[in-house]
Amino acid sequence: MDPYTQFTIPEHTRRQYADAFQAAVQQENAKLANVSIVESRWTAKQYVAKQSDVMRWVVNNTRFGNTSATEWTGGFRSGFMKNLEMEPKKFDRNDGKLLDDIALPTGDVLTNAMYALNRLKDDLFIEAATAGSLGGAEPHITLTAFPSGNIIPVNYVKPTVALGASNRGLTVWKVLEARNRFLKSDVDFDREEAILAISPDMETQLMLDAEAASNNSWAKMVLEWFKMRLTGNLESKLLGVFRVITTNRLTTDSGTGIETAVAFCKRAFLSSPMTGMESHIDILPTQRHAIQVTAYGSWGCFRALDNLVLQVPCDPAP
């Protein structure tokens, strides 16, 4: 008798797969989605965050007198969890003998599943960084476009110089402009980290830009940063400010090919914990008892503070 005719998935294999999947979800980190404030109170579909209001202190040495309060005018931002699903994969029933390997945290199936989940979370993070935001009055779902003033022009040249006639790639002047705008938003680089998410092509553009002006002081700083990065010091900060994350998940305009880098501070984003995690191994009777593995979960991320997020469009072929 064919030993696989009556094949069933052992219960211990199901448990091992579920346990290993949960552990891997906790241990694997996405490149971008991990750089956000995880809001443990976000357990429902929608989470509403109250935005800050302008506060001030004054000198008041009077005796007695009346208080004069002004109404809180801080707005609201909403984030929604999204239901995530791992694309189901199936194995021929003759692969049943490999089931115990599937559950191993280092197994190819589980490892690839985690990589795919990380890519999706980074995609959702980039969407939160560049798309419109939801907020306003209750039920806090009024759509507001990304602020145009938070976009460094693609043809930006440098301060005191008019915008260029043609588009530019990633240059040190765009990076310095992002730094300057954060300083004007009272970002203290000694107390919090600024992140610059760029593509591999942008990284190359930045190096070529520095090489073309190698005698300039700023160019020497950029080239020194590259030297440290190429020797394995990935935590070195560009211009002493930005931790650079190189990613292939940036938004690209399908019409123009313009890629958009993103500069941000961690506290600009709120994300939910991964919730509702389920993992399944099933037998498909109608497909000659093939073995299917899949998983489900929920996660959300949204931009809570506009002034701490900048878009930096770059032409890949300026």
Side-chain angles (χ1 to χ4, degrees):
M1 177 183 294
D2 183 346
Y4 296 102
T5 301
Q6 301 298 323
F7 178 77
T8 58
I9 298 171
E11 186 58 32
H12 76 274
T13 299
R14 295 180 188 271
R15 289 197 302 270
Q16 287 174 351
Y17 175 64
D19 292 344
F21 191 87
Q22 290 280 9
V25 167
Q26 297 301 321
Q27 293 171 8
E28 291 288 339
N29 293 323
K31 278 190 172 185
L32 296 171
N34 189 50
V35 191
S36 61
I37 302 298
V38 179
E39 179 50 79
S40 60
R41 295 173 296 178
W42 189 352
T43 57
K45 182 73 173 178
Q46 180 182 7
Y47 181 79
V48 180
K50 181 178 290 186
Q51 293 184 297
S52 299
D53 197 358
V54 176
M55 306 290 288
R56 67 189 184 99
W57 286 66
V58 297
V59 176
N60 187 350
N61 293 320
T62 61
R63 290 170 56 82
F64 307 111
N66 298 319
T67 59
S68 178
T70 58
E71 184 179 359
W72 178 276
T73 58
F76 297 89
R77 282 287 170 87
S78 281
F80 287 84
M81 279 194 191
K82 292 180 170 60
N83 296 324
L84 312 183
E85 176 182 347
M86 186 181 93
E87 179 186 12
K89 291 295 182 182
K90 61 184 179 181
F91 302 84
D92 187 86
R93 64 193 180 99
N94 292 312
D95 293 333
K97 57 185 178 293
L98 302 177
L99 273 178
D100 283 339
D101 294 333
I102 289 175
L104 293 175
T106 55
D108 288 342
V109 175
L110 200 58
T111 300
N112 290 336
M114 290 306 98
Y115 290 161
L117 178 59
N118 288 339
R119 290 194 300 272
L120 177 56
K121 290 173 69 175
D122 278 354
D123 287 341
L124 295 176
F125 182 92
I126 289 296
E127 179 182 321
T130 57
S133 59
L134 298 176
E138 195 174 2
H140 314 301
I141 56 174
T142 302
L143 179 64
T144 302
F146 187 89
S148 58
N150 288 23
I151 302 175
I152 297 175
V154 68
N155 57 340
Y156 183 84
V157 181
K158 65 178 182 178
T160 72
V161 175
L163 295 179
S166 59
N167 295 338
R168 305 294 299 274
L170 182 63
T171 66
V172 70
W173 297 114
K174 288 185 178 181
V175 179
L176 285 170
E177 175 63 10
R179 175 184 180 275
N180 185 50
R181 293 192 186 193
F182 279 161
L183 287 173
K184 289 181 177 179
S185 294
D186 291 323
V187 173
D188 185 348
F189 294 121
D190 292 328
R191 299 183 59 185
E192 68 177 311
E193 190 173 50
I195 295 92
L196 179 64
I198 64 176
S199 70
D201 286 343
M202 292 177 187
E203 189 172 290
T204 301
Q205 288 175 341
L206 186 61
M207 182 172 65
L208 294 175
D209 186 46
E211 281 187 337
S214 57
N215 291 327
N216 289 349
S217 58
W218 59 261
K220 294 177 181 178
M221 294 175 63
V222 173
L223 292 173
E224 182 61 27
W225 173 78
F226 266 105
K227 179 180 177 181
M228 290 189 291
R229 193 168 176 84
L230 292 174
T231 55
N233 185 4
L234 299 181
E235 295 303 315
S236 60
K237 293 185 177 181
L238 178 61
L239 300 178
V241 172
F242 290 103
R243 177 162 73 90
V244 175
I245 295 177
T246 304
T247 175
N248 292 311
R249 316 313 299 175
L250 298 179
T251 300
T252 301
D253 188 298
S254 59
T256 63
I258 300 296
E259 281 188 308
T260 299
V262 181
F264 63 95
C265 294
K266 181 176 181 178
R267 61 188 169 102
F269 295 91
L270 293 180
S271 62
S272 73
M274 284 291 298
T275 63
M277 295 304 303
E278 299 178 19
S279 54
H280 297 275
I281 303 179
D282 302 294
I283 293 178
L284 307 178
T286 60
Q287 298 188 30
R288 301 185 66 245
H289 296 83
I291 304 160
Q292 176 180 282
V293 295
T294 191
Y296 305 90
S298 297
W299 186 77
C301 179
F302 68 99
R303 186 178 70 252
L305 299 172
D306 284 341
N307 62 317
L308 299 183
V309 182
L310 301 172
Q311 292 185 24
V312 190
C314 298
D315 194 330

